[in-house]
Amino acid sequence: MSLTLDEARARAAAVSGVSYEIDLDLTSPTTGAFGCRTTVRFSASATETFLELTGATDLAVTVNGAATDPTYDGRRLWLSGLAADNVVTVAARLPYVTDGDGMYLFTDPADGETYVSAYCGMDIAQRVFACFDQNDLKATVELSVTADPAWTVLANGRVAQHEVQHEVRSDGGRWRFARTEVFAIPMFVVCAGPWHSRTWEHAGLPFGWHARRSLAAELDRDFDELRATTTACFDHYAGLFEEPMPYDSYDQAFVPGQNWGALESPGCVTYRDELLPRGRVTDLMRVQRAAVIAHEMAHMWFGNLVTMQWWEDTWLQESFADYMGYRVAHDGAGFAGTLLGHELGRKPNAYQADERRSTHPVAPRAEDVPDVDAASNNFDAISYSKGNSVIRQLVTWLGDTDFLAGVNAYLTRHRLGNGTLADFMAALDGASERDVVAWTELWLRTTGFDTIRVERDGDVPVVRREGTRPHRIRLTSYDEGLVELESRFVDVADEPVRLDDWAGRVVVPNSHGETFARTVPDERSWSALTAGLADIDDDLVRAIVWVTAFDLVHTRLLDPADHLALVRRHLPRERHVASVAAVLGRTLDTVVPLRVAAADAAPAADLVTE
């Protein structure tokens, strides 16, 4: 049984002041198990509670110096007779895993080298050591690891024997890490093996990139770019956020078997090593990788400095990091076109997810996430891509200055603690004259999305909203030759917005994707846009027009044959590789199989790929 909301609340009310001393023995991976000795110190206002520890054997437990035989069901270790202040020591052997959830054992088929890495996350830290496995019992960690002397060990903290020029040295295979700042225990990490490492120092902190030894050439190939991207993103965040990054090192490792794709463990971020490919690295992958690097770094503040209290606020970490990842990869690291992949790929997927019966609010209420198993279902296109888009609309609606003022107030107020949606919105509300609380109810507590429609009153464009949410969007106007004339922001709510001074112009609503809403252009504008799509200079506006075409096919307002003709006519002249890849992929993966008759599907696919 996974941890329930009621259990987490009760335990958080009874337990405080948690710290861990963890000693891992990784010296015999061929035995199928590793040794772990954990000392947990905590205060308690109750005489009973439980630690989580999954799959332990050879269990030995002491409570406040006395050996005890607690009830253990293979997952929970029940403690009784607790005092106000407690020291509990748990020694055990735990199994290595091959599915990536726990202490993952991997033999590299390229060279036979062995790697052992603890990948955690929801309900997984308990597979590595005895702990209170919940976000709002944050703790410090002092870690020791015994491993093959030829290995390098990475973890959340700085190595205690860190020496001149940041050369990491071990003493006979014994590694000791400095006591960390508090963090949420699901973010614990250890990576041990013969890593190939490239390190440097920046802003007074040690930084590093690491990869399997068999990927040494690939890491060396990309290191200059990876270092520059990391440093630029770090400096950009330092300019946006008033609170400094609270951890004493910043390692990043390309690792095998990371189920999450990437995980933002404080001090040591792990990435699936597919992001370090053999062979040529395409421009598209470089942009995507930069956005992931920026995303994970955003979590050092939104997720690690301040952590969600319970899993209903998954969006508060993931939506924010997703939004910041695209923004900072572009503004900080200089990767142009980061938003194209979101607008053309991930955001349309979020619209489709939001139309299904399985959708849920971006920010569900805590009671709607009754346990951790239920929470796992919310790591989806709603929490990431819709949430990202909604955050972007919030930034547009509030203005960047007020948004960042509210963010900084939130981070400072809840530094090294936990925060909730109410906490975040209260900070934003205090920084703006707008009614953020009402906005929250309309945007975050409900499902679905509005439609923004452009109509004509004679020659005058009129923008109408079908729905309930306030929108602040950019409108861009063109002449008949699709030369841009003007862009402006407008607020679209209950009353239609007339654009009398734009009479006769072509209009693209939501032209840079600032809101999350279906858009339907007027017939005159659509005719001009489909005739000259490739002539539009702005990459992002072209992307929005492509997305509109896909949605019109999806809603059966555009014949799929007309869409295929649009692709055939304009895609060869598309100027951005991300747009080419996304348009071609979505056409072949969605339009052709779902909207073209089976007998015509193969010829249609051939037509657009010639």
Side-chain angles (χ1 to χ4, degrees):
M1 181 180 71
S2 67
L3 185 70
T4 69
L5 171 62
D6 290 343
E7 289 172 332
R9 284 176 169 171
R11 188 163 64 174
V15 172
S16 62
V18 185
S19 68
Y20 296 91
E21 297 169 20
I22 303 168
D23 195 337
L24 299 174
D25 183 353
L26 307 180
T27 54
S28 303
T30 57
T31 65
F34 64 95
C36 179
R37 180 182 178 87
T38 306
T39 298
V40 191
R41 302 176 190 275
F42 62 96
S43 299
S45 60
T47 59
E48 295 184 349
T49 190
F50 62 92
L51 291 165
E52 283 111 325
L53 182 66
T54 297
T57 58
D58 300 337
L59 192 63
V61 181
T62 64
V63 178
N64 297 326
T68 185
D69 186 18
T71 300
Y72 177 59
D73 61 6
R75 182 156 183 169
R76 293 184 176 183
L77 191 67
W78 290 91
L79 307 174
S80 59
L82 296 175
D85 295 300
N86 302 277
V87 180
V88 176
T89 299
V90 181
R93 290 189 64 78
L94 298 165
Y96 287 108
V97 301
T98 56
D99 63 0
D101 286 348
M103 191 67 79
Y104 177 68
L105 179 63
F106 174 79
T107 300
D108 191 339
D111 58 11
E113 295 284 4
T114 298
Y115 296 83
V116 174
S117 296
Y119 308 140
C120 295
M122 305 169 67
D123 263 2
I124 301 176
Q126 62 192 266
R127 298 174 182 233
V128 180
F129 63 100
C131 59
F132 299 118
D133 202 353
Q134 66 187 75
N135 286 325
D136 56 347
L137 287 175
K138 298 174 84 167
T140 61
V141 171
E142 292 183 70
L143 174 68
S144 298
V145 179
T146 305
D148 186 324
W151 286 4
T152 297
V153 181
L154 310 170
N156 298 101
R158 187 189 296 224
V159 177
Q161 300 99 321
H162 218 260
E163 295 182 0
V164 178
Q165 295 181 343
H166 304 286
E167 294 179 0
V168 178
R169 303 183 187 277
S170 62
D171 180 13
R174 184 74 172 165
W175 295 71
R176 296 180 179 87
F177 292 84
R179 184 179 185 179
T180 69
E181 186 54 272
V182 297
F183 65 89
I185 287 306
M187 289 294 104
F188 178 82
V189 69
V190 168
C191 297
W195 303 108
H196 176 67
S197 301
R198 299 291 302 271
T199 62
W200 76 101
E201 183 173 326
H202 179 70
L205 298 174
F207 284 75
W209 276 103
H210 312 269
R212 285 184 276 154
R213 184 174 290 172
S214 65
L215 290 172
E218 285 72 20
L219 181 58
D220 290 343
R221 174 199 67 199
D222 293 354
F223 174 68
D224 287 345
E225 180 175 296
L226 293 168
R227 172 178 174 167
T229 300
T230 300
T231 301
C233 290
F234 187 88
D235 290 345
H236 197 78
Y237 281 121
L240 293 176
F241 301 145
E242 295 170 1
E243 289 291 333
M245 200 274 289
Y247 304 102
D248 65 4
S249 58
Y250 199 76
D251 285 304
Q252 296 173 94
F254 294 109
V255 298
Q258 169 54 271
N259 288 333
W260 290 91
L263 197 64
E264 66 274 15
S265 302
C268 183
V269 177
T270 54
Y271 304 85
R272 291 182 67 94
D273 54 16
E274 286 85 347
L275 286 173
L276 187 67
R278 303 183 192 276
R280 187 173 70 90
V281 183
T282 66
D283 289 344
L284 183 59
M285 173 167 277
R286 291 175 58 244
V287 171
Q288 292 171 338
R289 186 168 65 184
V292 175
I293 291 169
H295 174 119
E296 301 307 325
M297 192 179 290
H299 279 307
M300 296 305 114
W301 288 266
F302 260 79
N304 293 335
L305 177 69
V306 182
T307 308
M308 59 183 164
Q309 186 166 308
W310 179 246
W311 298 100
E312 88 276 16
D313 281 323
T314 293
W315 77 277
L316 188 55
Q317 297 182 182
E318 297 304 339
S319 301
F320 188 88
D322 214 47
Y323 164 74
M324 294 303 297
Y326 291 110
R327 172 174 171 164
V328 173
H330 180 274
D331 294 348
F335 284 85
T338 54
L339 267 178
L340 294 176
H342 173 69
E343 291 295 332
L344 278 161
R346 291 163 61 92
K347 193 172 178 179
N349 291 340
Y351 286 125
Q352 292 181 16
D354 211 13
E355 290 180 310
R356 299 188 187 113
R357 287 183 298 171
S358 58
T359 190
H360 58 87
V362 171
R365 300 185 188 278
E367 290 70 22
D368 295 327
V369 188
D371 55 38
V372 176
D373 284 344
S376 66
N377 295 324
N378 287 350
F379 286 82
D380 58 10
I382 301 298
S383 294
Y384 282 80
S385 299
K386 180 180 178 180
N388 168 358
S389 303
V390 169
I391 290 283
R392 189 164 176 233
Q393 170 57 196
L394 177 60
V395 176
T396 305
W397 187 72
L398 287 176
D400 204 52
T401 298
D402 286 354
F403 176 75
L404 288 174
V407 164
N408 280 308
Y410 170 78
L411 294 175
T412 297
R413 194 171 300 155
H414 301 283
R415 180 180 183 274
L416 298 175
N418 297 87
T420 65
L421 168 64
D423 296 327
F424 183 52
M425 292 306 170
L428 293 177
D429 203 51
S432 172
E433 295 182 356
R434 296 226 188 203
D435 187 349
V436 179
V437 175
W439 186 97
T440 298
E441 291 299 317
L442 290 169
W443 273 97
L444 299 178
R445 295 297 198 193
T446 62
T447 61
F449 49 87
D450 296 345
T451 296
I452 294 175
R453 190 182 299 273
V454 181
E455 299 173 343
R456 295 274 171 173
D457 182 3
D459 273 349
V460 175
V462 180
V463 182
R464 299 180 186 275
R465 180 204 65 190
E466 297 173 2
T468 60
R469 302 167 182 87
H471 299 263
R472 184 164 178 78
I473 62 171
R474 187 192 321 234
L475 305 173
T476 302
S477 65
Y478 295 85
D479 65 16
E480 291 294 333
L482 296 185
V483 174
E484 183 174 339
L485 300 174
E486 184 182 353
S487 280
R488 70 173 60 157
F489 283 94
V490 299
D491 287 294
V492 183
D494 293 337
E495 296 300 319
V497 178
R498 287 180 58 89
L499 303 166
D500 291 285
D501 55 334
W502 282 13
R505 295 183 181 183
V506 174
V507 177
V508 179
N510 196 29
S511 60
H512 286 71
E514 288 86 3
T515 198
F516 188 79
R518 171 167 284 144
T519 57
V520 181
D522 64 281
E523 291 183 7
R524 179 173 177 176
S525 294
W526 187 244
S527 178
L529 292 168
T530 54
L533 173 56
D535 296 324
I536 297 173
D537 285 335
D538 191 313
D539 292 340
L540 198 48
V541 175
R542 288 198 313 278
I544 297 303
V545 177
W546 281 119
V547 169
T548 301
F550 284 117
D551 191 61
L552 291 173
V553 174
H554 172 67
T555 56
R556 302 183 187 276
L557 295 176
L558 179 65
D559 190 291
D562 292 336
H563 173 81
L564 295 173
L566 183 71
V567 173
R568 184 169 173 79
R569 186 163 64 251
H570 292 293
L571 194 60
R573 295 175 56 206
E574 174 55 56
R575 284 162 268 179
H576 202 287
V577 63
S579 295
V580 173
V583 171
L584 189 59
R586 187 163 289 275
T587 298
L588 296 177
D589 295 342
T590 302
V591 175
V592 171
L594 297 181
R595 290 293 182 264
V596 176
D600 300 327
D606 292 341
L607 189 67
V608 298
T609 56
E610 286 179 353

